[in-house]
Structure formats: C-alpha cells, structure tokens
Amino acid sequence: MRALLTWAALITAIAVPLAVAATSPLLAWRQPIYIAAGFAGVIALALLLIQPLLAAGHLPGPNPRRARKIHRWVGATLVAAVFIHVGGLWITSPGDVIDALTFTSPTPFSAWGVIAMWAVFAAAVLAIFRKKLRLSLWRALHGILALCTVYSRLSRSLAQSPMPC
C-alpha cells in the first residue's frame, strides 16, 4: 500500500503542473516552438523532483543499482529538456534569453533560472567525469550542484508567485 501511495503522489505531483500548463489560456497566443520550450521546462522541473528520489533510493520498485542507472538516464533527459527549453526560448525571443544569460533581465526570477541551468550543466559534466575523482569528492560536489539547482528553481518559483506578506 505504501508503494502505491508513493507512486500515486509522485504521478500527481507531475501530472497536475502538466495539466495546468496544458490548459493555460496564454497558450492561444504562443508559437508552437514557445509552447514546446515551455513544456520542456515543466518536464525539467518534474525530472528535478524524481532525481533525488532515485539517488536516495526512496522510490519503491527498483533496487539501488537499477535506481542509480535510472538516475543517470533521467539526468541526461533533464539536460536535454533544459537545452530544449532554453533553445526554444532563444528561437522565439533571443533578446530575452541574452538578458537572462547576462543577468540584465528586468524580471528578477530569470537570474535564478540561469543559475539553475548552469548548475544542472555542471552537475552533468561532473557526472561524466565521476570516475576521475574520489567518490567522496564527487558525491560532495555533485550534491552541492544538485542543491544549488533545486534552491535556484525554488527561489525562482517563489519570486514568480504572488505571496501575501
């Protein structure tokens, strides 16, 4: 029963944001590339939710070795989703992407997205070279980059949300 509830909660946590994004009235005025880029971003966020659960072995079903293998594939998919997200936004609005990448965007939350993007890329590069580092050093660096990614994404989401103060 616990395994079923865990998977149901995870699926709900992924499906609800996808459904909300898919039913947004703002999509009516957007180009298909922009829509695809936006959904790549939503998918990237869903993958960020799955990654630590796989790494820590908290998902019922796969054994720890299989969970780590899935973690690697999900990580590669996460990097691809970020590339699609940023690439699609570049195609539809290169000026906004340049502003974000140079930290000159008038929207304060874009800086958090850029920081998260670079942390994802750095964690992926570090994962590629993990056999060249001591395991303890690799785990520490990879964990710090993962925390930086999650913190940046959380900060960006909170900056975008209207919060009563």
Side-chain angles (χ1 to χ4, degrees):
M1 185 61 159
R2 184 176 180 185
L4 182 64
L5 288 174
T6 301
W7 282 107
L10 182 61
I11 290 168
T12 301
I14 293 169
V16 169
L18 280 171
V20 169
T23 58
S24 171
L26 299 175
L27 295 179
W29 298 285
R30 302 294 186 177
Q31 299 171 17
I33 292 173
Y34 187 92
I35 294 169
F39 276 101
V42 175
I43 290 167
L45 289 173
L47 295 175
L48 280 176
L49 174 63
I50 296 169
Q51 280 296 77
L53 297 174
L54 286 167
H58 291 311
L59 288 179
N63 62 41
R65 186 173 183 211
R66 178 108 172 111
R68 283 191 303 274
K69 187 174 185 176
I70 296 168
H71 177 79
R72 285 186 216 114
W73 280 102
V74 171
T77 305
L78 172 61
V79 170
V82 171
F83 269 118
I84 292 167
H85 178 67
V86 175
L89 295 178
W90 175 268
I91 290 168
T92 59
S93 184
D96 290 341
V97 174
I98 290 170
D99 285 349
L101 291 173
T102 58
F103 297 103
T104 57
S105 175
T107 54
F109 56 83
S110 66
W112 292 113
V114 171
I115 292 167
M117 175 192 72
W118 288 116
V120 165
F121 292 161
V125 168
L126 194 63
I128 291 168
F129 295 107
R130 75 182 179 278
K131 298 210 185 225
K132 298 202 185 285
L133 297 170
R134 286 189 340 261
L135 183 60
S136 60
L137 176 62
W138 179 83
R139 279 187 177 158
L141 293 174
H142 192 72
I144 289 167
L145 290 168
L147 283 172
C148 180
T149 301
V150 172
Y151 177 77
S152 296
R153 293 306 308 154
L154 179 61
S155 296
R156 179 178 181 188
S157 296
L158 292 175
Q160 285 179 301
S161 302
M163 295 188 58
C165 294

